[in-house]
Amino acid sequence: MFASNIARRACRTNRPFRHCRFNHNQPTPNQNQESSRATHFGFQTVPEEQKESLVKNVFDSVASSYDLMNDAMSLGIHRLWKDELVSLLKPGARGPQKCIDVAGGTGDIALRILDHARERYADRETAVDVVDINGEMLREGFKRFKKTMYHNTPQIAFQEANAQALPTERFPDNTYDLYTIAFGIRNCTSIPDVLKEAHRVLKPGGTFACLEFSRVNNPLLSTVYDQYSFSIIPLLGTILAGDRASYQYLVESIRNFPPQPEFAQMIVDAGFTTGGMFEGKGGAWRDLTFGVAAIHTGVKV
Amino acid sequence: MSLATSVPRAARHSSIWSTRAAPALAGPRLRILHEQARLKSTQPAYEGHIPLNTFEAGFLAVGSALMSLANPRRGDMVAALGDVTSGPVLPRLRDAMLESPEGRRILKGRPRVNSSTVDMNKLALLPEGTFGRAYVTWLERCGVTPDTREPVHYVDDPELAYVLLRYRECHDFYHCICNLPVNVESELALKFFEFANLGLPMAGFAAAFGHLRLTSAKRQRLFSEFVPWAVKCGSSAKSLITVHWEERWNQNVDELKRELGIWDPPEARWSRPLSEAKAATEKRQKAAEAQLTGQS
């Protein structure tokens, strides 16, 4: 607070993408003649190859404060959402299961799966492979698991890999009973590729489950939600993590994600069998908190 | 557009509350619609500008105040609090600058103070007794360099943003001219001085709450010796924001102090003795001279 030498040094800003400015009044940037495929990065349009490294930068910088930020942004509700996902899936109910949790860096879902199997069904054979493209996030997950009883057991493994192209030696076809991806799929460059890989590594009869931010359809609530997202979340990012840009990206990436029926159709197109195209029991998805989040499920037949 | 080149008055677009269009729109139009959902114009007036509406500014003020108290090393939070609370005072400071020719030159040229614009080696070549020499000696004595400060983000008018940035960057000059080191009690004394001289609320907060972290002995000394000096000297001195420090490198330091109306505070606690600092400056001078003669 008193311009101590350390604070002066810390004044140097550490923006993750100094090279990529959010020009509000600039239309789409000049695109490379060779790369014709563009994708969205928040509200910017970027060449496909760039999105991966931009996302990597975002998560490198948020990794250490990720859990704190999740609590602040969702007011702790994200814990309830994740609990709901796992209780819906009931891992361990029909014997030990091989699970893969993709984009699950910090290990939230993996831990819940293992605890659920252990506490409800006295199952200590269910195993989870945590996969994430970002090493920093995996490091955080590894650190968290060191505090649990699953550390150094065959029940948990961490692997750095790209969800769109899981290496076949490490992740052969038809291996897993359960594939989960929570709050990760919107950061991927090509959702159909992720779904294709999910379909490949699941056993016939295996379940695909995706927990993701989705569309709030109620107009009054969506207004409130928008205000909250665009005003408060970037400010919380500035205050708690010193990083507005990453949280601005996170909020924008939520808006760019396809709404529930569209995403459910993409899951069907990847070869999964889902419930009917409606919300709720028996449907392809379930809304959580009025659609702020949604759980999409499918089965590989 | 950088602060140095933006037009004096920002073109403000009035924000329109528009109904949300179909989500099928992509790219910048979607952002504009959602930014309008924030009730705030999204056009930044200068590089690094982040426009905030009233609620957001309040939220940031409270949040950054709590964060600065909880973690004083978060220099960006102190800066953010300064940005958000300085609103009413900055126009007064800018007008003070406009009233003097020197201040007008600052507003026109918008000089920056950082390691690339302040050449310590060149200043070391100046004779003993000049302000430039005194500044380099002070830097050596405290072991600091003219680092880049956190830029201004939350002030809407680019000219006022520059005034605030100028204040932040000139902080070290105030240290030097008031002959104060960089430890906590001296920083607090300087904050009292700045508050008396310039009136910035952030200086006031720092002065009001900063002493809580001191030991009672230091606090006692602060309030009995330094604060009376700071208030008397700060309120009677010329407004330091109008001083074009870079034009005065060659000026004699005592003469400068007389001109500004500043006298020395009670003896402060320095981390290094003056003799050591002077020796370091002389070394720097010799190195600079050698480089010059080596080149010519």
Side-chain angles (χ1 to χ4, degrees), chain A residues 18-30:
Chain A
R18 251 172 269 124
H19 59 282
C20 156
R21 204 166 292 293
F22 285 121
N23 270 330
H24 299 255
N25 46 3
Q26 199 85 290
T28 57
N30 282 332

Side-chain angles (χ1 to χ4, degrees), chain B residues 265-286:
Chain B
E267 193 52 44
R269 181 178 58 90
W270 295 83
S271 53
R272 285 166 104 190
L274 185 59
S275 49
E276 226 181 275
K278 290 201 171 174
T281 313
E282 265 175 41
K283 224 176 74 175
R284 189 182 276 275
Q285 175 186 17
K286 296 216 170 34

Side-chain angles (χ1 to χ4, degrees), chain A residues 155-226:
Chain A
Q155 284 192 278
I156 189 77
F158 294 88
Q159 178 67 43
E160 192 170 325
N162 186 337
Q164 291 165 198
L166 296 170
T168 39
E169 329 75 54
R170 172 70 177 84
F171 301 104
D173 296 5
N174 303 319
T175 347
Y176 291 100
D177 298 295
L178 177 61
Y179 178 112
T180 51
I181 180 166
F183 302 117
I185 202 165
R186 73 179 188 281
N187 299 309
C188 298
T189 312
S190 160
I191 297 174
D193 285 342
V194 176
L195 297 173
K196 210 158 51 82
E197 281 296 279
H199 193 264
R200 177 181 75 76
V201 300
L202 276 172
K203 283 187 202 155
T207 306
F208 167 86
C210 170
L211 170 62
E212 189 53 78
F213 287 109
S214 204
R215 205 64 57 111
V216 175
N217 290 311
N218 180 318
L220 182 63
L221 287 174
S222 79
T223 310
V224 173
Y225 179 49
D226 276 353

Side-chain angles (χ1 to χ4, degrees), chain A residues 31-102:
Chain A
Q31 301 198 338
N32 217 332
Q33 295 293 13
E34 295 87 51
S35 72
S36 50
R37 301 264 302 273
T39 180
H40 53 74
F41 179 71
F43 288 162
Q44 285 189 299
T45 305
V46 299
E48 261 188 9
E49 315 79 56
Q50 247 187 51
K51 176 163 178 175
E52 225 172 79
S53 58
L54 291 173
V55 172
K56 176 180 190 315
N57 285 338
V58 168
F59 282 94
D60 271 346
S61 58
V62 305
S64 53
S65 52
Y66 190 68
D67 293 323
L68 169 66
M69 279 305 305
N70 278 343
D71 275 330
M73 293 193 302
S74 65
L75 306 173
I77 298 177
H78 71 105
R79 297 164 191 258
L80 299 176
W81 292 335
K82 289 167 182 166
D83 290 342
E84 176 68 26
L85 173 70
V86 173
S87 39
L88 194 66
L89 296 173
K90 299 198 200 7
R94 269 176 253 126
Q97 292 190 305
K98 280 200 71 167
C99 311
I100 177 170
D101 180 31
V102 177

Side-chain angles (χ1 to χ4, degrees), chain A residues 230-281:
Chain A
F230 285 96
S231 291
I232 301 206
I233 290 180
L235 282 180
L236 280 178
T238 318
I239 294 170
L240 294 173
D243 183 356
R244 184 189 175 88
S246 298
Y247 291 92
Q248 186 77 35
Y249 160 74
L250 289 176
V251 170
E252 292 173 355
S253 67
I254 293 174
R255 294 302 177 287
N256 275 324
F257 193 69
Q260 289 89 321
E262 230 176 272
F263 184 52
Q265 187 56 48
M266 289 168 87
I267 295 176
V268 168
D269 292 340
F272 290 100
T273 308
T274 67
M277 284 295 149
F278 54 86
E279 193 272 331
K281 207 153 175 268

